[in-house]
Amino acid sequence: MELQTFRPPSFTGNVLSLMKHHVCKWRSHNQSGMDLTFLRDRRFGKHPTCGRKYLTKSNEGSVSCSLNEGNNQDFKLSDARVIYSVAPAMGHNQESHPESHFRVPAIVTTLEEMELTSKFRGSEIIELQNYKPASVDDVANVHERAYVSGLEKAMDRASQQGIVVIEGSGPTYATATVSTSKSSLDPPMGFALIRPPGHHAIPKGPMGFCVFGNVAIAARYAQRVHGLKRVFIIDFDVHHGNGTNDAFYDDPDIFFLSTHQDGSYPGTGKIHEVGHGDGEGTTLNLPLPGGSGDIAMRTVFDEVIVPCAQRFKPDIILVSAGYDGHVLDPLAGLQFTTGTFYMLAANIKQLAKELCGGRCVFFLEGGYNLKSLSYSVADSFRAFLGEPSVASEFDNPAILFEEPSTKVKQAIQRVKHIHSL
């Protein structure tokens, strides 16, 4: 298949004409406008052919779900403990590319195998299927309209000519299918199982496998639509979330905290980068030395993430959940285990409960070993449910080596000093 190239336009300050209201071609990719609060007025339905449960509009305060054939049972939305959406972008695929179309299906298959879907859990776990795509305005709250407009044209070319290589830093590509709970006392955890990832996409263009900044778009949506002014973003992907970093670098109402492997792609996220102007102090970058593992991440959570969040007092926590820090992942050099990700999911859930009424949504970022990705996401679901980890069934301690504890301690102490923690 011939590869075509799309270069993001130069940005001279000229604003191109407004795009059509919804970018339907991006529907399979960008579900960042996922809204948990509207679920109060929904009713469960069941697809007549595949049998998967979904939410539909209702004028009543409760929803119904067919838990078993011939057994309908009414329950309140408060029964739900995990709500997730699936957007695998199956047509977004380039041969031999690590960000492949197998990633999300592998996760879904593992969730089924581990009985972590509504088929086995009824109202406890809900797959959200009736969601609306992000509008052009939603995307343009983060990205330059010239880039969005140019990408839409590239999608038109892709539908006729095949895969389009998007020029930027990192091997990013696009295909024709790439498209775009404030009132609850105990809202469910949310997880958007979407691809491609988004945290490298800068306001002016694509980067590092990423086309749109999913978490960044969701943060602006939470502020604009739901009045959740103070947004705390945790990014534990092995690579620095430079796109999210850049989008909010001067914004005092969005705290961006990134842990990542020191020296890894894209080479940004230095420890002294703390924000600018009104946003000074609301960006925290903590590069971790290669070989950092569970002990390092546990310490970072207790000594850096918790005090930052407590001081910031967020209205909602959003998470760039990258699973490429796993010891089996081919693209990095940390040695997180499945248990590390269980710990993060459980502790972030508890942190959200203590600080912002439990309002928290995870967004899938990296993770390129299909098995470690799938098992780690599944164990995150178990953490959301308050169930024991099954990481020991997958993790092999024999492959781990000693963590660089002295370097980790030095990095943590330095960032604590810079941010007065």
Side-chain angles (χ1 to χ4, degrees), residues 29 31-32 34 84-89 99-108 111 190-200 209-210 212-215 234-237 318-324 329 341 361-370 372-374 376-378 380-381 384:
H29 158 56
Q31 314 301 346
S32 301
M34 184 174 66
Y84 70 100
S85 61
V86 177
E99 208 293 287
S100 78
H101 66 316
F102 295 116
R103 295 177 67 231
V104 173
I107 295 172
V108 173
L111 292 176
F191 205 132
L193 298 175
I194 57 177
R195 62 170 292 269
H199 71 155
H200 291 311
F209 307 172
C210 303
F212 290 130
N214 303 317
V215 165
I234 301 170
D235 187 331
F236 58 73
D237 190 279
L318 303 181
V319 182
S320 275
Y323 293 86
D324 42 4
D329 198 275
F341 296 111
V361 183
F362 277 50
F363 294 80
L364 182 65
E365 296 286 358
Y368 306 102
N369 178 300
L370 297 183
S372 63
L373 169 65
S374 302
S376 296
V377 172
S380 296
F381 271 51
F384 296 159

Coordinates of all heavy atoms in Angstrom, one line a residue, residues 29 31-32 34 84-89 99-108 111 190-200 209-210 212-215 234-237 318-324 329 341 361-370 372-374 376-378 380-381 384:
H29 N -12.0 7.1 17.0 CA -10.8 7.4 17.8 C -11.1 8.2 19.0 O -10.8 7.8 20.1 CB -9.8 8.1 16.9 CG -8.8 8.9 17.7 ND1 -8.0 8.3 18.7 CD2 -8.5 10.2 17.6 CE1 -7.2 9.3 19.2 NE2 -7.5 10.4 18.6
Q31 N -13.0 9.6 21.8 CA -14.2 9.5 22.7 C -13.9 10.3 23.9 O -14.4 10.1 25.0 CB -14.5 8.1 23.1 CG -14.5 7.1 21.9 CD -15.5 7.5 20.8 OE1 -16.3 8.3 21.0 NE2 -15.3 6.9 19.6
S32 N -13.1 11.4 23.9 CA -12.7 12.1 25.1 C -13.8 12.9 25.7 O -13.7 13.3 26.8 CB -11.5 13.0 24.7 OG -10.4 12.3 24.2
M34 N -16.4 11.7 26.7 CA -17.2 10.8 27.5 C -17.7 11.4 28.7 O -16.9 12.0 29.5 CB -16.3 9.5 27.8 CG -17.1 8.5 28.6 SD -16.2 7.0 28.8 CE -14.9 7.6 29.9
Y84 N -16.8 1.6 31.3 CA -15.8 1.8 30.3 C -16.3 1.9 28.9 O -17.5 1.5 28.6 CB -14.8 0.6 30.4 CG -15.3 -0.8 29.9 CD1 -15.0 -1.2 28.7 CD2 -16.1 -1.5 30.8 CE1 -15.5 -2.5 28.2 CE2 -16.6 -2.8 30.3 CZ -16.3 -3.2 29.1 OH -16.8 -4.4 28.6
S85 N -15.6 2.5 28.0 CA -15.9 2.5 26.6 C -14.8 1.9 25.8 O -13.7 1.9 26.2 CB -16.1 4.0 26.2 OG -14.9 4.8 26.4
V86 N -15.2 1.4 24.6 CA -14.2 0.8 23.7 C -14.2 1.4 22.4 O -15.3 1.5 21.7 CB -14.6 -0.7 23.6 CG1 -13.6 -1.4 22.6 CG2 -14.6 -1.4 24.9
A87 N -13.1 1.9 21.9 CA -12.9 2.5 20.6 C -11.6 2.0 20.0 O -10.6 2.6 20.1 CB -12.9 4.0 20.7
P88 N -11.6 0.8 19.4 CA -10.4 0.2 19.0 C -9.8 0.7 17.7 O -8.7 0.4 17.3 CB -10.8 -1.3 18.8 CG -12.3 -1.2 18.4 CD -12.8 -0.1 19.2
A89 N -10.6 1.5 16.9 CA -10.1 2.1 15.7 C -9.4 1.0 14.8 O -8.3 1.1 14.4 CB -9.1 3.2 15.9
E99 N 2.0 0.5 17.5 CA 0.7 1.0 18.0 C -0.4 0.4 17.0 O -0.9 1.0 16.1 CB 0.6 2.5 17.9 CG -0.4 3.2 18.9 CD -1.8 2.9 18.6 OE1 -2.3 3.5 17.6 OE2 -2.4 2.1 19.3
S100 N -0.6 -0.9 17.2 CA -1.4 -1.7 16.3 C -2.9 -1.8 16.6 O -3.3 -1.5 17.7 CB -0.8 -3.1 16.2 OG -1.2 -3.9 17.3
H101 N -3.6 -2.3 15.7 CA -5.1 -2.5 15.9 C -5.4 -3.7 16.8 O -6.6 -3.9 17.1 CB -5.8 -2.6 14.5 CG -5.5 -3.8 13.8 ND1 -4.2 -4.3 13.6 CD2 -6.3 -4.7 13.1 CE1 -4.2 -5.4 12.9 NE2 -5.4 -5.6 12.5
F102 N -4.4 -4.4 17.2 CA -4.6 -5.5 18.1 C -4.7 -5.1 19.6 O -5.1 -5.9 20.4 CB -3.5 -6.6 17.9 CG -3.5 -7.2 16.6 CD1 -2.4 -7.1 15.8 CD2 -4.5 -8.0 16.1 CE1 -2.3 -7.7 14.5 CE2 -4.5 -8.6 14.9 CZ -3.4 -8.5 14.1
R103 N -4.3 -3.9 19.9 CA -4.1 -3.5 21.3 C -5.4 -3.6 22.1 O -5.5 -4.3 23.1 CB -3.5 -2.2 21.4 CG -2.1 -2.1 20.8 CD -1.5 -0.7 20.9 NE -1.4 -0.3 22.3 CZ -1.8 0.9 22.8 NH1 -2.5 1.7 22.0 NH2 -1.6 1.2 24.1
V104 N -6.4 -2.8 21.6 CA -7.7 -2.8 22.4 C -8.4 -4.1 22.4 O -8.9 -4.6 23.4 CB -8.6 -1.6 21.9 CG1 -10.0 -1.7 22.5 CG2 -7.9 -0.3 22.2
P105 N -8.5 -4.8 21.2 CA -9.2 -6.1 21.2 C -8.5 -7.1 22.2 O -9.2 -7.9 22.8 CB -9.1 -6.6 19.8 CG -9.1 -5.3 19.0 CD -8.3 -4.4 19.8
A106 N -7.2 -7.0 22.3 CA -6.5 -7.9 23.3 C -7.0 -7.6 24.7 O -7.2 -8.6 25.5 CB -5.0 -7.7 23.1
I107 N -7.2 -6.4 25.0 CA -7.6 -6.0 26.3 C -9.1 -6.5 26.5 O -9.4 -7.1 27.6 CB -7.6 -4.5 26.5 CG1 -6.2 -3.9 26.5 CG2 -8.3 -4.0 27.8 CD1 -6.1 -2.4 26.5
V108 N -9.9 -6.3 25.6 CA -11.3 -6.7 25.7 C -11.4 -8.2 25.9 O -12.2 -8.7 26.7 CB -12.1 -6.2 24.5 CG1 -13.5 -6.8 24.5 CG2 -12.2 -4.7 24.4
L111 N -10.4 -9.1 29.4 CA -11.5 -8.7 30.3 C -12.6 -9.8 30.3 O -13.1 -10.2 31.4 CB -12.1 -7.4 30.0 CG -11.2 -6.1 30.2 CD1 -11.9 -4.9 29.7 CD2 -10.8 -6.0 31.6
G190 N -14.2 5.5 35.6 CA -14.3 5.4 34.1 C -13.0 5.0 33.5 O -11.9 5.4 34.0
F191 N -13.1 4.3 32.4 CA -11.9 3.9 31.6 C -12.2 3.9 30.1 O -13.1 3.2 29.7 CB -11.4 2.5 32.0 CG -9.9 2.3 31.8 CD1 -9.1 1.7 32.8 CD2 -9.3 2.6 30.6 CE1 -7.8 1.5 32.6 CE2 -8.0 2.4 30.3 CZ -7.2 1.9 31.3
A192 N -11.5 4.8 29.4 CA -11.7 4.9 28.0 C -10.6 4.1 27.3 O -9.5 4.4 27.3 CB -11.6 6.4 27.5
L193 N -11.1 2.9 26.8 CA -10.1 2.0 26.1 C -10.1 2.4 24.6 O -10.8 1.9 23.8 CB -10.6 0.5 26.2 CG -10.7 0.0 27.7 CD1 -11.3 -1.4 27.7 CD2 -9.3 0.0 28.3
I194 N -9.3 3.4 24.4 CA -9.2 4.0 23.0 C -7.8 4.0 22.5 O -6.8 3.8 23.2 CB -9.7 5.5 23.1 CG1 -8.8 6.3 24.1 CG2 -11.1 5.6 23.5 CD1 -9.1 7.8 24.2
R195 N -7.8 4.1 21.2 CA -6.5 4.2 20.5 C -6.8 5.0 19.2 O -7.9 5.0 18.7 CB -5.8 2.9 20.2 CG -6.6 2.0 19.3 CD -5.8 0.8 18.8 NE -4.7 1.2 17.9 CZ -4.9 1.2 16.6 NH1 -6.1 0.9 16.0 NH2 -3.9 1.5 15.8
P196 N -5.8 5.7 18.6 CA -4.4 5.8 19.1 C -4.3 6.6 20.4 O -5.3 7.3 20.7 CB -3.7 6.5 17.9 CG -4.8 7.3 17.2 CD -6.0 6.4 17.4
P197 N -3.2 6.5 21.1 CA -3.0 7.3 22.3 C -2.9 8.8 21.9 O -3.0 9.2 20.8 CB -1.6 6.8 22.8 CG -0.9 6.2 21.6 CD -2.0 5.7 20.7
G198 N -2.8 9.6 23.0 CA -2.9 11.1 22.7 C -2.0 12.0 23.4 O -1.9 13.2 23.0
H199 N -1.2 11.6 24.4 CA -0.5 12.5 25.2 C 0.7 13.2 24.6 O 1.2 14.2 25.1 CB -0.2 11.9 26.6 CG 0.9 10.9 26.5 ND1 1.7 10.6 27.6 CD2 1.4 10.1 25.5 CE1 2.6 9.7 27.3 NE2 2.4 9.3 26.1
H200 N 1.1 12.7 23.4 CA 2.2 13.4 22.7 C 1.7 14.4 21.7 O 2.5 15.3 21.2 CB 3.1 12.4 21.9 CG 3.9 11.4 22.8 ND1 4.6 11.9 23.8 CD2 4.0 10.1 22.7 CE1 5.2 10.8 24.4 NE2 4.8 9.7 23.8
F209 N 3.0 8.6 17.6 CA 1.8 7.7 17.5 C 0.5 8.5 17.8 O -0.6 7.9 17.6 CB 1.9 6.6 18.5 CG 3.1 5.7 18.4 CD1 3.4 4.7 19.4 CD2 4.1 5.9 17.5 CE1 4.5 3.9 19.4 CE2 5.3 5.1 17.4 CZ 5.4 4.1 18.4
C210 N 0.5 9.7 18.3 CA -0.7 10.4 18.8 C -1.2 11.4 17.8 O -0.4 12.1 17.2 CB -0.4 11.1 20.1 SG 0.3 10.0 21.4
F212 N -4.6 13.2 18.4 CA -5.3 14.2 19.2 C -5.0 13.9 20.7 O -4.8 12.8 21.2 CB -6.8 14.1 19.0 CG -7.3 14.6 17.7 CD1 -8.2 13.8 17.0 CD2 -6.8 15.8 17.2 CE1 -8.6 14.3 15.7 CE2 -7.3 16.2 15.9 CZ -8.2 15.5 15.2
G213 N -5.0 15.0 21.5 CA -4.7 14.9 22.9 C -6.0 14.5 23.7 O -6.7 15.4 24.2
N214 N -6.2 13.2 23.8 CA -7.5 12.8 24.4 C -7.7 13.3 25.8 O -8.8 13.8 26.1 CB -7.5 11.2 24.4 CG -7.2 10.6 23.1 OD1 -7.8 11.0 22.1 ND2 -6.4 9.6 23.0
V215 N -6.7 13.2 26.6 CA -6.9 13.7 28.0 C -7.0 15.2 28.1 O -7.8 15.7 28.8 CB -5.7 13.2 28.9 CG1 -5.7 14.0 30.2 CG2 -5.9 11.7 29.2
I234 N -2.8 12.9 36.0 CA -1.7 12.0 36.3 C -1.3 11.2 35.1 O -2.2 10.6 34.5 CB -2.0 11.1 37.5 CG1 -2.4 11.8 38.7 CG2 -0.9 10.1 37.7 CD1 -3.0 10.9 39.8
D235 N -0.1 11.3 34.7 CA 0.4 10.6 33.5 C 1.5 9.7 33.9 O 2.6 10.1 34.2 CB 0.9 11.6 32.4 CG 1.3 11.0 31.1 OD1 1.7 9.8 31.1 OD2 1.2 11.7 30.1
F236 N 1.2 8.3 34.0 CA 2.2 7.4 34.4 C 2.7 6.5 33.2 O 3.3 5.5 33.4 CB 1.8 6.5 35.5 CG 0.5 5.7 35.3 CD1 0.5 4.6 34.5 CD2 -0.6 6.0 36.0 CE1 -0.6 3.8 34.3 CE2 -1.8 5.2 35.8 CZ -1.8 4.1 35.0
D237 N 2.5 7.0 32.0 CA 3.1 6.4 30.8 C 4.6 6.5 30.9 O 5.2 7.4 31.5 CB 2.6 7.1 29.5 CG 3.0 6.4 28.2 OD1 4.1 6.6 27.8 OD2 2.1 5.7 27.7
L318 N -8.0 13.1 36.1 CA -7.9 12.4 34.8 C -6.5 11.7 34.7 O -5.5 12.2 35.2 CB -8.1 13.3 33.6 CG -9.4 14.1 33.6 CD1 -9.4 15.0 32.3 CD2 -10.6 13.2 33.6
V319 N -6.5 10.5 34.1 CA -5.3 9.7 34.2 C -4.9 9.3 32.8 O -5.7 8.6 32.0 CB -5.4 8.4 35.0 CG1 -4.1 7.7 35.1 CG2 -5.9 8.8 36.5
S320 N -3.7 9.7 32.3 CA -3.1 9.1 31.1 C -2.4 7.8 31.5 O -1.3 7.8 32.0 CB -2.1 10.1 30.5 OG -2.7 11.0 29.7
A321 N -3.2 6.7 31.3 CA -2.8 5.4 31.8 C -1.9 4.7 30.7 O -2.5 4.0 29.8 CB -4.0 4.6 32.2
G322 N -0.6 4.9 30.7 CA 0.2 4.1 29.8 C 0.8 2.9 30.5 O 1.4 3.0 31.6
Y323 N 0.7 1.8 29.8 CA 1.2 0.5 30.4 C 2.5 0.1 29.8 O 2.9 -1.1 29.9 CB 0.1 -0.5 30.3 CG -1.1 -0.2 31.1 CD1 -2.1 0.6 30.6 CD2 -1.3 -0.7 32.4 CE1 -3.2 0.9 31.4 CE2 -2.4 -0.4 33.2 CZ -3.3 0.4 32.7 OH -4.4 0.7 33.5
D324 N 3.2 1.0 29.2 CA 4.5 0.7 28.5 C 5.7 0.7 29.5 O 6.8 0.5 29.1 CB 4.7 1.5 27.3 CG 4.4 3.0 27.5 OD1 4.0 3.4 28.6 OD2 4.4 3.8 26.5
D329 N 7.5 -4.7 28.3 CA 7.2 -3.9 27.1 C 8.5 -3.6 26.3 O 9.6 -3.4 26.9 CB 6.7 -2.5 27.6 CG 6.0 -1.8 26.5 OD1 6.7 -1.1 25.7 OD2 4.7 -1.9 26.3
F341 N 0.7 -1.6 38.4 CA -0.4 -0.9 37.8 C -1.7 -1.1 38.7 O -2.6 -0.3 38.8 CB -0.7 -1.4 36.4 CG 0.5 -1.0 35.5 CD1 1.3 -1.9 35.0 CD2 0.7 0.3 35.2 CE1 2.4 -1.6 34.1 CE2 1.8 0.7 34.4 CZ 2.6 -0.3 33.8
V361 N -11.4 9.4 35.7 CA -11.5 8.7 34.4 C -10.0 8.4 33.9 O -9.2 9.3 33.9 CB -12.2 9.5 33.3 CG1 -12.3 8.7 32.0 CG2 -13.6 9.9 33.8
F362 N -9.8 7.1 33.6 CA -8.6 6.7 33.0 C -8.7 6.7 31.5 O -9.8 6.4 30.9 CB -8.2 5.3 33.4 CG -7.6 5.1 34.8 CD1 -8.1 5.8 35.9 CD2 -6.4 4.4 34.9 CE1 -7.5 5.6 37.1 CE2 -5.8 4.2 36.1 CZ -6.3 4.9 37.2
F363 N -7.6 7.1 30.8 CA -7.6 7.0 29.3 C -6.4 6.2 28.9 O -5.2 6.5 29.3 CB -7.4 8.4 28.7 CG -8.6 9.3 29.0 CD1 -8.8 9.9 30.2 CD2 -9.6 9.5 28.0 CE1 -9.9 10.8 30.4 CE2 -10.7 10.3 28.2 CZ -10.8 10.9 29.4
L364 N -6.6 5.2 28.1 CA -5.5 4.4 27.6 C -4.5 5.2 26.8 O -4.8 5.9 25.9 CB -6.0 3.2 26.8 CG -5.0 2.2 26.3 CD1 -4.3 1.5 27.5 CD2 -5.6 1.2 25.3
E365 N -3.2 5.0 27.2 CA -2.1 5.6 26.4 C -1.3 4.5 25.8 O -1.8 3.7 25.0 CB -1.3 6.6 27.2 CG -2.0 7.8 27.8 CD -2.3 8.9 26.7 OE1 -1.8 8.7 25.6 OE2 -2.9 9.9 27.1
G366 N 0.0 4.3 26.2 CA 0.8 3.3 25.6 C 0.7 1.9 26.2 O -0.1 1.7 27.1
G367 N 1.5 1.0 25.7 CA 1.4 -0.4 26.1 C 1.5 -1.3 24.9 O 0.5 -1.4 24.2
Y368 N 2.6 -1.9 24.6 CA 2.8 -2.5 23.3 C 3.2 -4.0 23.3 O 3.3 -4.6 22.3 CB 3.9 -1.7 22.5 CG 3.5 -0.2 22.5 CD1 4.1 0.7 23.3 CD2 2.5 0.2 21.7 CE1 3.7 2.0 23.3 CE2 2.1 1.5 21.7 CZ 2.7 2.4 22.5 OH 2.3 3.7 22.5
N369 N 3.3 -4.6 24.5 CA 3.3 -6.0 24.7 C 1.8 -6.4 25.0 O 1.3 -6.0 26.0 CB 4.2 -6.4 25.8 CG 4.2 -7.9 26.0 OD1 3.2 -8.5 26.4 ND2 5.4 -8.5 25.9
L370 N 1.2 -7.1 24.1 CA -0.2 -7.3 24.2 C -0.6 -8.1 25.5 O -1.6 -7.7 26.1 CB -0.8 -8.1 23.0 CG -0.6 -7.4 21.6 CD1 -1.3 -8.2 20.5 CD2 -1.3 -6.0 21.7
S372 N 1.2 -8.2 28.5 CA 1.3 -7.3 29.7 C 0.3 -6.2 29.7 O -0.2 -5.8 30.8 CB 2.8 -6.8 29.8 OG 3.1 -6.0 28.7
L373 N 0.0 -5.6 28.6 CA -1.0 -4.6 28.5 C -2.3 -5.1 28.9 O -3.0 -4.5 29.8 CB -1.1 -4.1 27.0 CG -2.2 -3.2 26.7 CD1 -2.2 -1.9 27.5 CD2 -2.3 -2.9 25.2
S374 N -2.7 -6.2 28.4 CA -4.1 -6.7 28.7 C -4.2 -7.1 30.2 O -5.2 -6.8 30.8 CB -4.4 -8.0 27.8 OG -4.3 -7.6 26.5
S376 N -2.5 -6.1 32.7 CA -2.3 -4.9 33.6 C -3.6 -4.1 33.6 O -4.0 -3.6 34.6 CB -1.2 -4.0 33.1 OG 0.1 -4.7 33.2
V377 N -4.3 -3.9 32.4 CA -5.6 -3.2 32.4 C -6.6 -4.0 33.2 O -7.4 -3.4 34.0 CB -6.0 -3.0 31.0 CG1 -7.5 -2.4 30.9 CG2 -5.1 -2.0 30.2
A378 N -6.6 -5.3 33.0 CA -7.6 -6.2 33.7 C -7.4 -6.0 35.2 O -8.3 -6.0 36.0 CB -7.5 -7.6 33.3
S380 N -6.1 -3.5 36.7 CA -6.6 -2.2 37.1 C -8.1 -2.2 37.3 O -8.6 -1.6 38.3 CB -6.3 -1.2 36.0 OG -4.9 -1.0 35.8
F381 N -8.9 -2.9 36.5 CA -10.3 -3.1 36.7 C -10.6 -3.8 38.1 O -11.5 -3.3 38.8 CB -10.9 -4.0 35.6 CG -11.4 -3.2 34.4 CD1 -10.6 -2.3 33.8 CD2 -12.7 -3.4 33.9 CE1 -11.0 -1.6 32.7 CE2 -13.1 -2.7 32.8 CZ -12.3 -1.8 32.2
F384 N -10.2 -1.2 40.7 CA -11.4 -0.4 40.8 C -12.6 -1.0 41.5 O -13.3 -0.4 42.2 CB -11.9 0.0 39.4 CG -11.0 0.8 38.5 CD1 -11.1 0.7 37.1 CD2 -10.0 1.5 39.1 CE1 -10.2 1.5 36.3 CE2 -9.1 2.3 38.3 CZ -9.2 2.2 36.9

